[in-house]
Amino acid sequence: MLYYFNFPNHLQGEMVSETDKGILIQFGIRLKSLRQAKKLTLRKMALLCNVEYADIQRYENGKLNVTLLSIAELAKALEVEPKDLLNFDKEI
């Protein structure tokens, strides 16, 4: 059974605080570094998980707030634990 949720997009627009932007950027840097370490292109990574390559690119650029389910999918593609994606310096 599929469930669809409407998430508030306050983190996707202009209402994002500087702290929130910093967290998104740091997550993106971590994601990109793990992806490149595995020598995966955006498209190859997208094929390994249930996340569109354009969304992966937006995560890496800090332009899109990632969901818990997406973190799980990204971790699966990278063959790491989800917590490893969140292992970044939150201070900017």
Side-chain angles (χ1 to χ4, degrees), residues 47-61:
L47 291 172
L48 296 172
C49 63
N50 191 28
V51 179
E52 295 288 329
Y53 82 93
D55 285 344
I56 297 170
Q57 186 174 36
R58 286 187 208 107
Y59 296 146
E60 288 184 357
N61 292 327

Side-chain angles (χ1 to χ4, degrees), residues 21-72:
K21 284 180 190 176
I23 291 170
L24 293 176
I25 288 168
Q26 289 299 311
F27 176 83
I29 290 168
R30 177 72 174 154
L31 175 61
K32 186 173 185 174
S33 109
L34 290 170
R35 178 180 62 79
Q36 290 177 335
K38 294 279 187 176
K39 299 187 184 337
L40 294 173
T41 65
L42 291 168
R43 290 185 188 270
K44 177 65 175 176
M45 186 164 165
L47 291 172
L48 296 172
C49 63
N50 191 28
V51 179
E52 295 288 329
Y53 82 93
D55 285 344
I56 297 170
Q57 186 174 36
R58 286 187 208 107
Y59 296 146
E60 288 184 357
N61 292 327
K63 302 288 184 190
L64 182 63
N65 190 21
V66 66
T67 67
L68 182 58
L69 296 175
S70 293
I71 289 172

Side-chain angles (χ1 to χ4, degrees), residues 4-25:
Y4 295 94
F5 299 96
N6 291 321
F7 292 101
N9 56 354
H10 70 280
L11 290 176
Q12 296 177 22
E14 296 169 16
M15 295 173 50
V16 177
S17 73
E18 289 303 312
T19 301
D20 291 342
K21 284 180 190 176
I23 291 170
L24 293 176
I25 288 168

